[in-house]
C-alpha cells in the first residue's frame, strides 16, 4: 500500500463551512487522503471559502497568492477552492489564478472524489451545480476516534435560504432552502453522542425554518425544528442542544414554547435583526418591523426568562440616515444583547442592494464604532452579572495553566476552572467567581 496523501483544509466563514470541511475530509479519506495541519507537506490544499462580505471573499485571492511558492516548489500539489466563493465565482477563480486545479460549490461536495481523480490525471475540475441528489446521502458522516473528538459538534439540519434579504449572497451561494430528513439527523446525532459528543449545535442558514420529513415510525409528516429538538433531547448522553441561525419570521409558537420546556435546549438564541429602522428593514426585505421583533423577544423571554439574546447588525445600508441609525441604537438598548455581531454594509455583486447608493465608508465606520460601543457595554455587564451565580460548565479542553480546564456556560461564556483532565467532555456544576476580559473564572462545587 502506498503512503496516504496529505490534505490541508483551511476554513473561512460560518459554522456550516466548519461542518462541511469535516465532511470533505471524510469524502477524500476514501481517495486515500489523511488530514494534515501543515500546508507545506500537503498533496492537496482545499480552501473552504466565504463570500458574505467583500473582505471575506478577497481573502481567498490573497491566500492563493501566499500558496504560489508551495505550488511552484511542488508541481504535484493540487489546489482546490470550495465554499461560497467557489459557488459565486466559479470559473472566474481559475481565470484569475490559473494554478487552481479544482473549484467546487457547496452542493457538489459528494462529487469531490471523482473531481480529485480528474485533477490527479492533470485536468482541472469545476462543479458548481445544484444537483438533484442529496449530497448528505453520499458524504460519510463525521468520523474521528472517540478520544480526540471534541465534546461539542455541529449538525447541519437545513441548508440554503429563500428569504432573499437585499444585501445577502447566501440564497445564491447555498441555493434554495432544503431540510434534511429527521431520521438521518437522529441517526447522525446518536452516532456523534456515541463518540463522546455532549453538545450539539444544529445548523442552518434559516435553521428555525426547518421542515424535514419525520420518520414514518414516529408518525411521518413534516417536522418543525421544535419537534426535532424534542426528539434529540431524548438521546441519553446528549446534554445540550443549540441552534443557529434563526430568522425572526420563522420563530414559531412551538419553538418558543420549547425554550420554556426543554432543559437541554440552552438559554441562548441568535436572532439577527440587522437594523432597528422600519424603513431600512423594508429596504433590506426583512419583512418585519422593529416593533414586531421586540414583541417577539418579549414572548421568548416570557417562555424562558433567563435567555440571552444574540444578534447581527448591518450599519450603513444604502439609504440609512442618522435617524435610522438612532433607531438601531434604540432597539439595541431595549434588547440588551448578551452578545452581538455588527458589520459595515458591503455591496455584493448580484444582490438587489448592490446598485443602490452607499452611505460612504467614513459614515459607516463611524456608525459601526458607535454601535459596537453600545453592544460591548451590554456584553460586559451581562458577563459581569454572572459572578456569584451557580451553573453548569461543559468542559471542552485543557487550559493554558497547569491543572486548568476550559469550558462553556449555558450562555456561551468561556469559563476556566481548576479540575482534573478526566472531566473533559463532562458537565461540571460551578460557581462563577470572577469575570475577566474574555472569560469567566469558575470554581467547581
Ligand atoms: N441567516 C444567515 C446569515 C448569514 S450572514 C446565517 O445562517 O448565518 C451572517 C450575517 O452577516 C448576517 O446576519 C448579516 O448581519 C451579515 N451580512 C450578510 N450580508 C452582508 C453584507 N452584504 N454586508 C455586511 N454584512 C452582511
Ligand atoms: Fe441571508 Fe437573509 Fe437568508 Fe439570512 S435570511 S441567509 S441574511 S438572505
Ligand atoms: Fe459565508 Fe457562505 Fe457561510 S457566504 S457565512 S460561508 S453560507
Amino acid at each position: 500500500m502506498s503512503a496516504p496523501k496529505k490534505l490541508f483544509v483551511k476554513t473561512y466563514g460560518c459554522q456550516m463551512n466548519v461542518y462541511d470541511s469535516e465532511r470533505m475530509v471524510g469524502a477524500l479519506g476514501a481517495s486515500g487522503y489523511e488530514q494534515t495541519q501543515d500546508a507545506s507537506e500537503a498533496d492537496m490544499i482545499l480552501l473552504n471559502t466565504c463570500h458574505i462580505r467583500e473582505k471575506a471573499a478577497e481573502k481567498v485571492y490573497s491566500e492563493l497568492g501566499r500558496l504560489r511558492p508551495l505550488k511552484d516548489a511542488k508541481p504535484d500539489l493540487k489546489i482546490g477552492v470550495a465554499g461560497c466563493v467557489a459557488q459565486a465565482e466559479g470559473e472566474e477563480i481559475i481565470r484569475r489564478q490559473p494554478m487552481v486545479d479544482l473549484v467546487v460549490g457547496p452542493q457538489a461536495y459528494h462529487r469531490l472524489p471523482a473531481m480529485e481523480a480528474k485533477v490527479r490525471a492533470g485536468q482541472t475540475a469545476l462543479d458548481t451545480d445544484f444537483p438533484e441528489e442529496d449530497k448528505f446521502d453520499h458524504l460519510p458522516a463525521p468520523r474521528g476516534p472517540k478520544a480526540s473528538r471534541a465534546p461539542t459538534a455541529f449538525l447541519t439540519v437545513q441548508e440554503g435560504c429563500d428569504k432573499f434579504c437585499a444585501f445577502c449572497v447566501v440564497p445564491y451561494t447555498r441555493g434554495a432552502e432544503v431540510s434534511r430528513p429527521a431520521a438521518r439527523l437522529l441517526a447522525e446525532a446518536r452516532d456523534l453522542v456515541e463518540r463522546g459528543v455532549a453538545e450539539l449545535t444544529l445548523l442552518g442558514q434559516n435553521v428555525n425554518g426547518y421542515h424535514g420529513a419525520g420518520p414514518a415510525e414516529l408518525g411521518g409528516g413534516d417536522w418543525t425544528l421544535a419537534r426535532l429538538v424534542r426528539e434529540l433531547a431524548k438521546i441519553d448522553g446528549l446534554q445540550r442542544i443549540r441552534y443557529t441561525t434563526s430568522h425572526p419570521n420563522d420563530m414559531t409558537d412551538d419553538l418558543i414554547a420549547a425554550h420554556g420546556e426543554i432543559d437541554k435546549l440552552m438559554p441562548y438564541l441568535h436572532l439577527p435583526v440587522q437594523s432597528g429602522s422600519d424603513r431600512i428593514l423594508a429596504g433590506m426585505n426583512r419583512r418585519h418591523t422593529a416593533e414586531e421583533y421586540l414583541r417577539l423577544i418579549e414572548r421568548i423571554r416570557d417562555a424562558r426568562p433567563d435567555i440571552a439574546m444574540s444578534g447581527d447588525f448591518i450599519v450603513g445600508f444604502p439609504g440609512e440616515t442618522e435617524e435610522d441609525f438612532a433607531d438601531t441604537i434604540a432597539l439595541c438598548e431595549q434588547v440588551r444583547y448578551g452578545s452581538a455581531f455588527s458589520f459595515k454594509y458591503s455591496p455584493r455583486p448580484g444582490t438587489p442592494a448592490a446598485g443602490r447608493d452607499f452611505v460612504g465608508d467614513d459614515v459607516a465606520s463611524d456608525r459601526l464604532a458607535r454601535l459596537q460601543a453600545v453592544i460591548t457595554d451590554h456584553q460586559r455587564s451581562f458577563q459581569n452579572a454572572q459572578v456569584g451565580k451557580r451553573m453548569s460548565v461543559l468542559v471542552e479542553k485543557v487550559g493554558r495553566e497547569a491543572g486548568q480546564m476550559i469550558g462553556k456556560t449555558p450562555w456561551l461564556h468561556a469559563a476556566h476552572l481548576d479540575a482534573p483532565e478526566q472531566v473533559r467532555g463532562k458537565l461540571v456544576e460551578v460557581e462563577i467567581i470572577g469575570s475577566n476580559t474574555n472569560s469567566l473564572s469558575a470554581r467547581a462545587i
Side-chain angles (χ1 to χ4, degrees), residues 166 318 345 347-348 350-358:
Y345 170 68
R348 307 306 293 126
T351 60
R356 302 183 200 162
D357 274 346
F358 181 45

Side-chain angles (χ1 to χ4, degrees), residues 208 246-253 255-256 269 271-273 288-303 307 309 335:
N208 58 341
S246 297
H247 191 286
N249 290 356
D250 289 328
M251 209 61 216
T252 50
D253 292 343
L255 190 55
I256 295 173
L269 178 60
L271 195 63
V273 65
H288 63 76
T289 63
E291 191 57 29
E292 281 161 350
Y293 179 79
L294 290 168
R295 292 290 80 77
L296 174 61
I297 289 188
E298 242 168 52
R299 285 168 54 221
I300 296 165
R301 284 181 168 154
D302 281 346
I307 201 162
M309 297 305 305
V335 176

Side-chain angles (χ1 to χ4, degrees), residues 7 20-33 109-114 116 138-141:
L7 171 66
D20 286 344
S21 287
E22 205 175 328
R23 302 294 285 258
M24 286 192 273
V25 170
L28 286 172
S31 309
Y33 282 87
Y109 292 156
H110 55 296
R111 295 175 174 173
L112 260 177
E116 190 274 341
H138 304 275
L139 278 174

Side-chain angles (χ1 to χ4, degrees), residues 58-69:
E58 279 306 316
K59 277 186 195 160
V60 184
Y61 291 103
S62 33
E63 183 65 25
L64 288 172
R66 277 194 292 276
L67 292 175
R68 174 94 251 174

Side-chain angles (χ1 to χ4, degrees), residues 12-17 48-53 56 83-85 106 169-170 173-174 205:
Y12 302 84
C14 62
Q15 293 149 325
M16 195 172 282
N17 268 6
N48 193 7
T49 62
C50 174
H51 200 247
I52 202 79
R53 284 167 289 275
C84 291
V85 176
V169 293
V170 171
T173 62
R174 292 277 167 173
Q205 273 84 32

